[in-house]
Amino acid sequence: MLPEENRLRKSADFAFARQSGRHWRNEMFIINTVPNSGSASRYGFVIGRKLGSAVRRNHLKRQLRAITARLMPTLVDGMDVVMIARGQAAGRSFADLEAGLKQLMSKAGLLDRREGSAP
């Protein structure tokens, strides 16, 4: 489970990351990143209504939080990261979501290469 101190909560922080930060995308996700003033990274998730009912959207959000929590030991610190799910993410298996997110995080430079987890 993703700890509370690592969750991005304020809408102003989401907006700042989306407007001022860098972004990367693949078929399932868009990631926006911006350095923060803290030592810990914070993560926020955006799942639009086009991806299905509230039940499906919340399930996808829980899956993304679990994937992020799994990757926490290998992620760089001091970043605000907003992950936006695209239409291709709906209905995918947990393994597909994890592979897609890991690939995009590596591309964005969020995986700490010293840990040896990046391809």
Side-chain angles (χ1 to χ4, degrees), residues 86-106:
R86 299 176 81 184
Q88 294 294 320
R92 291 284 185 98
S93 70
F94 187 85
D96 288 344
L97 294 173
E98 185 174 26
L101 196 56
K102 201 174 201 179
Q103 178 259 339
L104 194 56
M105 285 180 156
S106 177

Side-chain angles (χ1 to χ4, degrees), residues 1 18-20 24 61 63 70 82 84 89 110 119:
M1 184 163 187
R18 291 191 66 192
Q19 292 171 359
S20 303
W24 292 267
K61 195 179 289 190
Q63 288 179 315
R70 278 177 141 186
V82 175
I84 303 166
L110 295 174

Side-chain angles (χ1 to χ4, degrees), residues 7-103:
R7 292 187 189 184
L8 202 56
R9 293 283 185 187
K10 297 179 182 175
S11 60
D13 292 336
F14 275 87
F16 183 74
R18 291 191 66 192
Q19 292 171 359
S20 303
R22 296 193 60 199
H23 69 276
W24 292 267
R25 68 181 68 213
N26 64 14
E27 66 278 354
M28 289 188 284
F29 304 105
I30 300 171
I31 292 181
N32 295 298
T33 64
V34 65
N36 66 23
S37 58
S39 61
S41 288
R42 299 181 302 171
Y43 304 92
F45 306 93
V46 178
I47 316 301
R49 287 186 180 172
K50 291 181 181 179
L51 291 171
S53 67
V55 173
R56 285 179 183 245
R57 293 192 311 267
N58 287 328
H59 183 255
L60 180 56
K61 195 179 289 190
R62 284 191 305 272
Q63 288 179 315
L64 294 179
R65 278 194 207 120
I67 292 166
T68 304
R70 278 177 141 186
L71 295 175
M72 285 285 290
T74 62
L75 295 174
V76 297
D77 291 329
M79 299 294 284
D80 283 347
V81 180
V82 175
M83 299 175 205
I84 303 166
R86 299 176 81 184
Q88 294 294 320
R92 291 284 185 98
S93 70
F94 187 85
D96 288 344
L97 294 173
E98 185 174 26
L101 196 56
K102 201 174 201 179
Q103 178 259 339

